[in-house]
Amino acid sequence: MRTAVIGTGHVGLVTAGGLARWGHTVIGMDDDASKIAKLEAGGLPFFEPGLNDLVNEGVEAGRLTFTTDLEVALKDCDVAFVCVGTPGLPGGGPNLAYVERVGVEAARLATGDLVLVEKSTVPANTGVRLAQVIAREQARHGKTHNIQVASNPEFLKEGTAVQDTLFPDRVVIGSAVPEAGETLRAVYEPMLKEHGCPVVMADLQTAELIKHASNAFLATKISFINQVALICDEVGADVTTVAQGMGLDERIGQQFLRAGIGYGGSCFPKDVNAFIHLAQSIGEDFHILEAVRDVNVRMREVVIERLRQELWHLEGKTVTLLGAAFKPGTDDLREAPAMHLAKTLMAAGVKVRIFDPVAIDHVKNQLPDVECFTDVHASLRDADAAVVCTEWDEVKALTPADFAEGLGYPIVVDGRNVFDPEAMRAAGLRYTSIGRPKPKD
Ligand code: NAD
């Protein structure tokens, strides 16, 4: 099929690579000319393991090209995937202006029948509104092509996005009319033949809601175990073993039960807010999700409290944050806990250092006053404390002796429960983690 991917960001570019792998002709379109220039030069606009190879494979096979021109992308296009951003607005809801703009322009530019697919994460009923916008614009321009809106939410995780796209757990397809859903299913057929994952066929609103409910549930698991961890800290229990004991129950499962300084990234914080906002807009209070959000904020405060306990006054101290990206395997800093911590610490007069192996240039751009490191050992040297924020391999490879010999004060707050408490304390470190027993002072 002839496909277009509108928005070649973290979701769009992997989608484009996957579509090309499955034998479709793909045009990746983005209105950010610098991104398209980078792609045309054989580079990537962001870091994602394995993505360069997937994109190159599509380009070399002659199936994947790029453009900044939506008219070019939509010419003779059968299925267009909308992968533009839906960033959070101050009131909590997502900004759907980018999605709407694509709908408005597609109504004018489509050269034949088209299935316009929402891959961006959008609240329930966005598809219905989009279809109305398209009908209105078609009437204005005297266009009569059959443009159907479908929903196909994306569940990839940054850091493993290529694997997640090529071998998904499930494909969710929502549409108002069965033909649009079937067309979209046919796009996935080559992957389904090879990999055979379940396909959930639904109406538009249901498909949209599956995405929001999934992310909200995953965020709930994280905040739940973090709340349990805070209780473990007080009663002297070990959250790692609690989580293991819980997760062995098949109804609960092991995943997303790792206590730490909370979730971040471009999805969970924004999607939790958007779901709360959606509920409020229809007169429902989603109290559970409000608590999920509050616990997530609380986890960052816990780190600051621990540093204050150890350092007393923060002003003038030097603190190293180990990891800036919201998780390993990505250079994405959106809503990263480390970036929040850095800003809070700087506001308290702390000299902040950050180590990150791939995101450091973005850190420099966003926080020019931070001292930036790609050498993890250099980042520790003579600092007053270190905080583990992201479990990069370079961080996990540090030994207790590296901390003890490198740091000025032997203070480590492990926000990801990476290190063995006994070994760290045996090396003379004042080591705290999240929800694991501390020795009595
Ligand atoms: P991103 O910011 O990385 O990419 C969005 C791209 O869209 C950018 O390159 C931007 O230039 C482009 N764009 C914006 N308006 C455009 C327009 N009118 N025409 C053409 N291009 C336009 O965002 P992302 O992380 O890829 O997320 C995209 C959507 O997918 C969001 O709704 C997000 O919630 C959802 N999502 C993201 C992930 C993730 O892990 N990043 C996972 C699942 C779902």
Side-chain angles (χ1 to χ4, degrees), residues 6-7 9-11 29-32 35 83-86 98 101-102 120-121 154 156 158 211 266-267 270 334:
I6 303 161
H10 293 80
V11 165
M29 181 268 162
D30 204 293
D31 63 359
D32 181 336
K35 280 191 181 166
C83 302
V84 300
T86 50
Y98 306 100
R101 208 181 105 204
V102 174
S120 302
T121 302
E154 181 53 61
L156 66 76
E158 287 176 25
K211 173 63 187 178
S266 66
C267 291
K270 145 179 103 62
R334 291 178 283 185

Side-chain angles (χ1 to χ4, degrees), residues 222-232 295 299:
I222 296 172
S223 279
F224 184 88
I225 202 64
N226 281 339
Q227 182 69 73
V228 172
L230 295 181
I231 292 168
C232 285
V295 170
M299 299 317 291

Side-chain angles (χ1 to χ4, degrees), residues 104-424:
V104 166
E105 292 180 2
R108 188 170 54 85
L109 297 173
T111 59
D113 294 350
L114 175 71
V115 179
L116 191 70
V117 184
E118 302 167 339
K119 218 174 208 337
S120 302
T121 302
V122 292
N125 277 324
T126 302
V128 172
R129 292 300 303 267
L130 196 57
Q132 288 166 354
V133 166
I134 290 169
R136 197 182 63 207
E137 288 299 317
Q138 283 190 302
R140 174 190 282 181
H141 297 287
K143 301 279 182 180
T144 54
H145 300 302
N146 181 14
I147 302 181
Q148 290 292 338
V149 175
S151 165
N152 176 215
E154 181 53 61
F155 300 97
L156 66 76
K157 304 176 287 300
E158 287 176 25
T160 54
V162 171
Q163 282 293 107
D164 296 341
T165 299
L166 297 180
F167 308 104
D169 290 340
R170 80 295 211 186
V171 172
V172 174
I173 292 175
S175 64
V177 296
E179 304 80 64
E182 286 309 322
T183 303
L184 192 46
R185 192 194 168 100
V187 171
Y188 282 101
E189 210 47 54
M191 181 276 289
L192 292 170
K193 265 196 195 128
E194 201 180 306
H195 171 54
C197 72
V199 180
V200 179
M201 303 294 287
D203 56 44
L204 269 176
Q205 295 86 332
T206 304
E208 290 166 339
L209 211 68
I210 287 172
K211 173 63 187 178
H212 260 138
S214 301
N215 272 7
F217 190 74
L218 291 171
T220 303
K221 272 186 108 173
I222 296 172
S223 279
F224 184 88
I225 202 64
N226 281 339
Q227 182 69 73
V228 172
L230 295 181
I231 292 168
C232 285
D233 273 330
E234 294 307 314
V235 303
D238 184 336
V239 73
T240 315
T241 313
V242 171
Q244 186 193 12
M246 287 168 63
L248 286 168
D249 184 328
E250 281 181 10
R251 294 170 301 176
I252 297 174
Q254 299 281 356
Q255 292 203 50
F256 280 73
L257 287 183
R258 285 197 56 195
I261 52 173
Y263 58 77
S266 66
C267 291
F268 284 0
K270 145 179 103 62
D271 294 349
V272 164
N273 282 341
F275 211 11
I276 293 170
H277 185 263
L278 172 73
Q280 282 168 350
S281 72
I282 53 171
E284 286 294 327
D285 282 327
F286 212 146
H287 294 303
I288 296 174
L289 275 191
E290 287 167 17
V292 165
R293 183 174 59 187
D294 292 348
V295 170
N296 204 51
V297 172
R298 170 92 189 100
M299 299 317 291
R300 300 195 294 255
E301 292 165 359
V302 165
V303 173
I304 305 291
E305 285 164 18
R306 300 247 163 113
L307 286 171
R308 275 193 209 283
Q309 273 162 15
E310 293 294 341
L311 292 168
W312 193 17
H313 293 292
L314 295 181
E315 195 173 346
K317 303 284 171 27
T318 300
V319 173
T320 298
L321 302 181
L322 294 169
F326 80 97
K327 65 175 186 174
T330 178
D331 60 354
D332 199 340
L333 297 179
R334 291 178 283 185
E335 294 293 327
M339 298 300 277
H340 282 283
L341 283 174
K343 286 176 201 158
T344 307
L345 289 170
M346 284 194 292
V350 171
K351 287 180 225 151
V352 174
R353 294 179 180 176
I354 295 186
F355 157 80
D356 196 286
V358 301
I360 211 69
D361 287 342
H362 300 316
V363 175
K364 272 182 207 154
N365 286 338
Q366 292 183 27
L367 299 175
D369 293 335
V370 161
E371 207 181 338
C372 293
F373 293 85
T374 50
D375 176 341
V376 71
H377 295 276
S379 77
L380 293 177
R381 209 158 294 143
D382 288 329
D384 296 316
V387 180
V388 178
C389 297
T390 318
E391 346 45 323
W392 285 108
D393 286 343
E394 292 85 341
V395 175
K396 289 194 288 188
L398 288 168
T399 63
D402 290 331
F403 284 105
E405 287 160 20
L407 289 167
Y409 295 148
I411 296 166
V412 179
V413 179
D414 184 350
R416 296 295 178 193
N417 289 353
V418 167
F419 296 101
D420 173 25
E422 290 311 314
M424 293 294 270

